[in-house]
Amino acid sequence: MKIRATLKQIAKELGVSVSTVSKALNDSPEISEPTKIKIQEYAKLKNYKPNLTALNLKNRSTKTIGVIIPNILNSFFAKVFSGIEKVAEAKGYNVITCISNESLEKEIHALEMLSNGTIDGFILSIAEEAQKLGEFSHFLEIIKEGIPIVMFDRIADEVHCDKVVVDDYESALNAMQHLIDSQCSSIALFSSIDNLSVGKLRTKGYFDALEKNNISIDPQIIIRTDNEHEFNIQATALFDTQKVDGIFALDEHASVSAMKMSLKAGYKIPDEVSVIGFADGVWSRRLTPSLSTVSQHGPEIGEAAAQLLIARLESKLENYHYKTEIIKTELRQRESTKKIG
Amino acid sequence: MKIRATLKQIAKELGVSVSTVSKALNDSPEISEPTKIKIQEYAKLKNYKPNLTALNLKNRSTKTIGVIIPNILNSFFAKVFSGIEKVAEAKGYNVITCISNESLEKEIHALEMLSNGTIDGFILSIAEEAQKLGEFSHFLEIIKEGIPIVMFDRIADEVHCDKVVVDDYESALNAMQHLIDSQCSSIALFSSIDNLSVGKLRTKGYFDALEKNNISIDPQIIIRTDNEHEFNIQATALFDTQKVDGIFALDEHASVSAMKMSLKAGYKIPDEVSVIGFADGVWSRRLTPSLSTVSQHGPEIGEAAAQLLIARLESKLENYHYKTEIIKTELRQRESTKKIG
DNA sequence: GTGAAAGCGCTAACAC
DNA sequence: GTGTTAGCGCTTTCAC
C-alpha cells in the first residue's frame, strides 16, 4: 500500500517550500516557469492528488449534496435520484445517499449524521412515518443551522424551504377527466398511500372531477388505505361485490393490482373497464395490456431539485425567497384505456 | 444563518482552553466533573456538533464508502444498493454514490473524483463499456494507491480484489434443467447482454445444460445481442419463423419481451411455451401470467460486499488474501412454467 | 520568484 | 485538572 503523496513530501524531495509547490500546482503566476514545470512533472510522476478533506476544511464547503430517499426500490425515487446525480455530477458535486426506509428515526439519524460538515445541503422526500405523524421539527432544526434543504414530491407546508413537486391535484383531475370522457361512469378510486401528502392531493382531484361532471360519489368503490396488505383485502372484496367500468389508481401497487385483479375477474381491458394509474413507465409498457399512466418525469424532478439546491449554495447573497417548482405530469395513453376519438 | 459552533468559540465563551473543551466533550477522565458538566451543557445549548471534515483530516479516514453503479434504474442495482446502504448505516459508514451510466469515461471520472481522500474504499459493478473493451487499468491504479475495491456482479478476473458474485453458471444450468424436466425440448436463448461477464456465464450454462441432456443446439432459436434494439428485431423475426416450447432469458428486457411476444404470437403460457428469466421479482409477480425467475438476492449481494469492504478497512494488518463470495440464486417457480409433479 | 507563518477545527502528547 | 503545543494537508497573505 503506497502512501498518498502530499505537498510536504514533494516539497522536501524537491528541496523547495510547501507553498511553492502549492502555487506551482495551482499554476500561480508567482512561480517561474522552470520551477513550475519541474514541480508539476514531479507531482504527476508521484501521482499527486490534493487531499479533498483538507481542502474542504479550508474552504468550509464540501461540494457534496446529501440525498435522503424513503425507498430506493421504488422506481420513482430511483428516477429522481438519477436526475439529481446527473446535475450534481455536471456541476462538480458529489452525492451522498441515505435511505430513510420510510422511518422517522432513520430520517432523523441521516440528517444528524450528515449535518456536521459532511454535506453542504440536502435534497429529500419525507419518510412516510414522519408525514403520517406530522413530525417535521428535525427539518426545521437543520434549516436553523444554516443548511439548506430542498424537498421533493412529499413535502410539508410547515417547513419553509425550496420544493419541487408534481401537480398531483391537476394530474388527478386530468386523468379522471380522461376516464369520464371515454364513457366511464362508475370509477373506482384505488389508493394504498392515503397517508401521504401526494395521496391526499390526488384523492382530492378524484372527488373534484366527479363533482365537476355531476357524477355522484359511491363510497363502495373507493379504497383508501395506507398499506398494501389492507389494500389487497379491500380490493379483493370490491371485485367480488361491485361492478365498475373505470379505475383510477394512485400508486404503483394499486395500479398493478387493478390490472391483475380485473383480468382475473374476467373483465376485458379496456372494453369493460379502463385503468389509469401512477406507475413506472417502462414496466407499464411491458404489461399485457399495457397500462395507461400518469407520468411524473422523475428525472426532471431530480434535476430541478439539484439545480435549486446548487443555486442556493452558490449564491453569495442570502435569498430568503423560497421557490416551489412544479413539474408537469403527462398522461400516457396506452392499452388500458379507450382511445378518445 | 447561524454559524456553526466550534470548540474554539465555546472555549472562549467559557474562559477555558480548547483542549479542555475537547476533552470534556469526549468525556475524558482528565477533566473534573463540574467543568465537564458545565461544558457539556453549554455545548448542548449551542447545539455543538464536531466538524466531521476536521476529524477526517485528523484521522485520515472518512468512514465513507464510494459506490459506483452502472445504472440505478436497473432494479437489480437498486436492490444491491439498498443492501450496501443497510450494512453501511449499521456500521456507521456513509455511502457516496456515483452512476457510471455504463460509460467508461464516467466510471473513470467517478473513481478519480472520489479517490482523493473523500472515501475509504469502493464498491462497484463494472460499466458495460469498460467490460466490452476489457479496459480495467483504472481499477488497478486505484488499488495501487492503497484504496480497496470490492466488485460485485460484473467483475474482471484481471483485477485482484474482493468480489461478490452470483453463481450465474450454476443458476443457468439449474433453470435450464427445470425447463427440460418440464418437457421442453426446443428451448430458445434470449440475451441482450451478451457483452457482459454475467451474460457469458449464463450462456455457457445454457449450452452445457443442452449438452448434458443430449439436446442438440439449434442456432436458429438463439439470440445473443448486446442491446435491446437489436434484440427486438431478432426476437420478432424468431417468433415469425420458429416454433419453441421454452425460453430462457438472460436479462430483464429479454425476459419480459419473451412473455409479451409469446402472448402476442398466441402462445399459451405455460402450456405451449414455458419462460424463465432473470428479472425483478416484484414485477415478475405482477405480470399476467406471473413470470418464473432466477432470483438473485440483490440485497444480500450488497450486504456481503459492504461487509467485505468494511472488514478490510478495519483490519489493521494487511491481508493480501482476496475473497470471492458467491451468493446463491433461487429458482422462483411462478405461472410461466409448468409445475413439475 | 520563493518561503515563512497563520489558520481551517479537531485531537493528543506533553507540560505545568 | 487544565493549558500549551504540534500537527493532519492545504491555501494564502505577507515578508524577503
Side-chain angles (χ1 to χ4, degrees):
Chain A
M1 164 142 142
K2 209 161 59 177
I3 208 57
R4 154 164 272 85
T6 70
L7 287 190
K8 199 169 151 184
Q9 231 178 76
I10 297 182
K12 194 163 73 187
E13 285 161 21
L14 251 43
V16 293
S17 81
V18 178
S19 53
T20 306
V21 179
S22 169
K23 286 171 188 161
L25 293 179
N26 287 316
D27 215 24
S28 155
E30 287 183 42
I31 307 295
S32 71
E33 274 308 308
T35 32
K36 220 188 255 184
I37 298 201
K38 182 182 69 177
I39 293 177
Q40 287 175 350
E41 285 185 343
Y42 189 74
K44 191 168 298 166
L45 175 73
K46 286 287 183 178
N47 193 20
Y48 170 80
K49 293 183 199 167
N51 180 322
L52 251 212
T53 309
L55 280 177
N56 289 341
L57 181 57
K58 199 137 215 355
N59 302 334
R60 280 93 151 282
S61 113
T62 61
K63 285 276 221 172
T64 302
I65 297 174
V67 175
I68 306 178
I69 277 182
N71 173 8
I72 192 71
L73 300 183
N74 179 324
S75 66
F76 171 67
F77 290 121
K79 275 183 209 143
V80 174
F81 182 79
S82 77
I84 294 173
E85 212 277 338
K86 181 177 157 198
V87 169
E89 138 94 28
K91 303 228 171 188
Y93 279 73
N94 283 323
V95 177
I96 195 161
T97 321
C98 291
I99 300 176
S100 68
N101 220 349
E102 306 289 10
S103 133
L104 173 59
E105 187 199 331
K106 282 205 64 177
E107 184 170 274
I108 293 176
H109 183 224
L111 239 34
E112 288 274 305
M113 189 153 159
L114 299 182
S115 63
N116 47 22
T118 307
I119 54 90
D120 295 344
F122 284 106
I123 297 178
L124 58 86
S125 193
I126 305 178
E128 180 189 330
E129 194 187 353
Q131 212 160 41
K132 181 153 48 182
L133 300 175
E135 176 57 52
F136 307 126
S137 53
H138 47 308
F139 301 126
L140 299 175
E141 276 298 316
I142 296 294
I143 294 174
K144 216 169 63 189
E145 285 177 30
I147 302 179
I149 293 181
V150 177
M151 292 189 173
F152 69 89
D153 197 52
R154 305 188 195 159
I155 61 169
D157 292 333
E158 292 89 330
V159 182
H160 296 291
C161 63
D162 290 316
K163 291 164 190 164
V164 181
V165 293
V166 143
D167 55 338
D168 285 287
Y169 172 71
E170 296 284 336
S171 47
L173 268 185
N174 197 18
M176 282 296 291
Q177 196 60 52
H178 183 80
L179 288 176
I180 293 168
D181 288 348
S182 62
Q183 315 305 329
C184 299
S185 58
S186 145
I187 304 173
L189 176 73
F190 278 22
S191 170
S192 67
I193 55 165
D194 203 45
N195 45 335
L196 299 182
S197 56
V198 293
K200 294 190 181 114
L201 286 168
R202 293 170 196 171
T203 301
K204 183 161 166 30
Y206 170 82
F207 286 125
D208 288 1
L210 289 182
E211 189 182 341
K212 193 163 20 169
N213 290 274
N214 291 313
I215 301 177
S216 60
I217 292 166
D218 178 0
Q220 306 266 42
I221 56 172
I222 293 180
I223 301 180
R224 298 174 63 175
T225 70
D226 61 5
N227 68 81
E228 300 188 354
H229 178 68
E230 177 64 24
F231 175 85
N232 291 346
I233 294 172
Q234 294 194 28
T236 307
L238 187 148
F239 273 101
D240 283 348
T241 59
Q242 309 289 323
K243 263 230 146 355
V244 300
D245 58 10
I247 302 176
F248 178 45
L250 305 195
D251 59 280
E252 198 161 270
H253 177 74
S255 302
V256 179
S257 302
M259 294 284 281
K260 186 137 194 163
M261 289 179 171
S262 295
L263 289 173
K264 189 168 281 173
Y267 280 104
K268 288 211 170 55
I269 301 177
D271 303 322
E272 296 168 2
V273 60
S274 293
V275 182
I276 292 184
F278 284 78
D280 175 62
V282 172
W283 276 100
S284 297
R285 219 173 307 127
R286 289 171 167 176
L287 296 175
T288 309
S290 60
L291 170 66
S292 295
T293 59
V294 178
S295 169
Q296 300 183 82
H297 301 298
E300 286 83 346
I301 295 176
E303 287 171 31
Q307 301 277 16
L308 233 41
L309 180 62
I310 292 175
R312 186 162 296 275
L313 289 175
E314 297 188 345
S315 81
K316 309 291 149 214
L317 54 156
E318 292 202 23
N319 183 353
Y320 284 102
H321 184 65
Y322 290 119
K323 281 192 219 152
T324 293
E325 219 157 283
I326 297 174
I327 308 292
K328 287 262 172 243
T329 61
E330 229 170 302
L331 190 60
R332 298 251 191 251
Q333 300 184 38
R334 300 201 183 85
E335 297 164 2
S336 70
T337 48
K338 283 171 267 188
K339 294 272 173 291
I340 297 182
Chain B
M1 163 139 143
K2 208 161 59 176
I3 208 59
R4 156 165 270 83
T6 70
L7 287 190
K8 199 168 151 187
Q9 227 178 78
I10 296 183
K12 194 162 72 185
E13 284 161 22
L14 252 43
V16 293
S17 83
V18 179
S19 58
T20 307
V21 179
S22 169
K23 286 171 189 162
L25 293 179
N26 288 316
D27 214 24
S28 154
E30 289 183 39
I31 307 295
S32 71
E33 274 309 306
T35 32
K36 219 187 256 184
I37 299 204
K38 184 181 69 179
I39 293 178
Q40 287 175 352
E41 285 186 342
Y42 189 75
K44 192 168 298 165
L45 175 73
K46 286 288 182 175
N47 193 22
Y48 169 81
K49 293 184 200 165
N51 181 321
L52 251 212
T53 308
L55 280 178
N56 289 342
L57 181 57
K58 195 139 212 7
N59 301 334
R60 280 93 151 285
S61 116
T62 60
K63 285 275 221 173
T64 302
I65 298 174
V67 175
I68 306 178
I69 277 182
N71 173 9
I72 192 71
L73 300 182
N74 179 326
S75 66
F76 171 67
F77 290 121
K79 276 184 208 143
V80 175
F81 182 79
S82 77
I84 295 173
E85 211 277 339
K86 182 176 157 198
V87 170
E89 138 94 28
K91 303 230 172 189
Y93 280 73
N94 283 322
V95 176
I96 196 161
T97 321
C98 290
I99 300 176
S100 67
N101 223 346
E102 306 289 10
S103 134
L104 173 59
E105 188 198 332
K106 282 204 67 179
E107 185 169 272
I108 293 175
H109 183 223
L111 240 34
E112 287 275 304
M113 189 153 159
L114 299 181
S115 63
N116 47 22
T118 307
I119 52 91
D120 295 344
F122 284 107
I123 296 178
L124 58 85
S125 193
I126 304 178
E128 180 190 329
E129 195 188 351
Q131 213 161 41
K132 182 153 45 181
L133 300 175
E135 175 57 52
F136 308 125
S137 54
H138 46 309
F139 301 126
L140 299 174
E141 276 297 316
I142 296 294
I143 294 173
K144 215 169 62 190
E145 286 178 28
I147 302 179
I149 293 183
V150 176
M151 293 189 171
F152 69 90
D153 197 52
R154 304 189 196 158
I155 62 169
D157 293 333
E158 293 89 332
V159 182
H160 295 291
C161 63
D162 290 316
K163 291 164 190 166
V164 181
V165 293
V166 143
D167 55 338
D168 284 287
Y169 173 71
E170 296 284 336
S171 48
L173 268 186
N174 197 18
M176 282 296 292
Q177 197 60 51
H178 184 81
L179 288 175
I180 293 169
D181 289 347
S182 63
Q183 316 302 331
C184 299
S185 57
S186 142
I187 304 174
L189 176 72
F190 277 23
S191 170
S192 67
I193 54 166
D194 203 46
N195 45 335
L196 298 183
S197 56
V198 294
K200 294 188 181 115
L201 286 169
R202 294 171 195 171
T203 300
K204 182 162 166 30
Y206 169 83
F207 285 125
D208 288 1
L210 289 181
E211 188 181 343
K212 193 166 16 171
N213 290 274
N214 292 312
I215 301 177
S216 61
I217 292 166
D218 177 0
Q220 304 267 41
I221 57 172
I222 293 180
I223 300 181
R224 298 175 63 175
T225 70
D226 62 6
N227 69 82
E228 301 188 355
H229 178 68
E230 178 63 24
F231 175 86
N232 292 347
I233 294 172
Q234 294 193 29
T236 308
L238 187 149
F239 274 102
D240 283 349
T241 59
Q242 308 291 320
K243 262 232 148 354
V244 299
D245 57 10
I247 301 176
F248 178 44
L250 305 195
D251 59 281
E252 197 161 271
H253 177 75
S255 303
V256 179
S257 302
M259 293 284 281
K260 186 139 194 161
M261 288 179 171
S262 296
L263 290 173
K264 189 168 279 171
Y267 280 104
K268 287 211 172 56
I269 302 176
D271 303 322
E272 296 168 5
V273 61
S274 293
V275 182
I276 292 184
F278 284 77
D280 175 64
V282 172
W283 276 100
S284 298
R285 221 173 304 126
R286 289 170 167 174
L287 295 174
T288 308
S290 59
L291 170 66
S292 296
T293 59
V294 178
S295 169
Q296 300 182 83
H297 301 298
E300 285 83 347
I301 295 175
E303 287 171 31
Q307 303 277 16
L308 233 40
L309 180 61
I310 293 175
R312 187 163 296 275
L313 290 175
E314 297 187 345
S315 80
K316 307 292 147 214
L317 54 157
E318 291 203 22
N319 184 351
Y320 283 102
H321 184 64
Y322 291 119
K323 282 191 219 151
T324 293
E325 219 157 284
I326 297 173
I327 307 292
K328 287 263 172 241
T329 60
E330 231 170 302
L331 189 61
R332 297 251 192 251
Q333 300 184 38
R334 299 202 183 84
E335 296 163 2
S336 70
T337 47
K338 282 171 266 186
K339 293 273 173 290
I340 297 182

